[in-house]
Amino acid sequence: MWNRWHIAGRRMPAEMWTAGSGLGDWTVRELYAHVSRGVSTLADLIAQPLCTDEPELSDAAAYFAALRPLGKQGAAQVAQAARIWAAERADEVLVEAFHGQAGRVLAALSVNGNNVVRSIAGTIRLSDFAVTRILEATVHLLDLGAVVAHAAGPTPDALHRTVDVLTDLFPPADFVLAATGRSSSVVLPVLT
């Protein structure tokens, strides 16, 4: 998924960087900043001292569930962090994060994926935190594709992994009942 972001960024016409992303008032540049920041965040987690306890968060869905109560305040904090990240980096730096740094992060993750680290939502295995980055890269690649014609869509594997995480954010029986027309319960959105 990060390679798709890298390729799309290398092909990005200069005027598209300041165009609206379709995600609130974020520009394409801020959307890039948000997702590329995930590469750096994962690198920082890999480098931090390990936690020896069992993780507080069992998987990627538990990570997002722990952050959901922040609601609009959390979304505003994420948006502000993206704006700052975008303002402090050139377009090329945002794009290259998905290439050089991403390769090093993925190599380190393959060795350290079972390690438990401290994230903003609680302790979590690195491999589970990596799934949160798959979800972010997937959802936001769909956002990008809605405004940037040359952006490739997510891979089928990334889409399926994202669906798995999102469905885990809703009680399974309630989801099945709503999805099969047996309940009028509102299922979506599970994550905003």
Side-chain angles (χ1 to χ4, degrees):
M1 291 300 298
W2 286 344
N3 189 49
R4 289 175 185 239
W5 280 90
H6 182 250
I7 291 168
R10 291 190 65 199
R11 295 179 181 164
M12 189 77 66
E15 67 276 5
M16 281 304 301
W17 286 104
T18 56
S21 69
L23 183 63
D25 62 352
W26 285 20
T27 63
V28 167
R29 188 161 208 294
E30 291 163 344
L31 186 63
Y32 253 83
H34 173 64
V35 180
S36 73
R37 188 169 170 255
V39 178
S40 294
T41 299
L42 189 51
D44 290 346
L45 289 177
I46 289 169
Q48 76 175 224
L50 303 180
C51 300
T52 55
D53 297 332
E54 283 298 306
E56 297 162 342
L57 306 170
S58 59
D59 57 21
Y63 172 88
F64 288 113
L67 295 176
R68 258 196 308 204
L70 297 175
K72 290 182 182 188
Q73 177 188 0
Q77 290 172 344
V78 168
Q80 182 62 18
R83 285 185 195 96
I84 292 168
W85 196 262
E88 294 175 347
R89 287 159 183 78
D91 299 341
E92 305 80 39
V93 172
L94 295 175
V95 172
E96 286 308 309
F98 295 110
H99 181 64
Q101 183 183 26
R104 292 186 297 276
V105 166
L106 292 174
L109 182 63
S110 69
V111 174
N112 300 301
N114 206 34
N115 292 352
V116 176
V117 294
R118 188 165 309 284
S119 75
I120 61 170
T123 58
I124 188 170
R125 291 198 191 288
L126 277 169
S127 57
D128 292 322
F129 184 82
V131 174
T132 72
R133 301 307 89 198
I134 292 170
L135 183 142
E136 291 281 349
T138 301
V139 170
H140 293 310
L141 192 56
L142 291 169
D143 293 332
L144 184 70
V147 295
V148 176
H150 70 269
T155 65
D157 285 345
L159 285 167
H160 287 292
R161 181 59 66 101
T162 298
V163 167
D164 289 344
V165 173
L166 293 175
T167 57
D168 283 349
L169 287 169
F170 200 80
D174 293 345
F175 180 85
V176 169
L177 292 172
T180 59
R182 289 167 172 78
S183 168
S184 61
S185 175
V186 177
V187 176
L188 303 174
V190 293
L191 189 62
T192 56

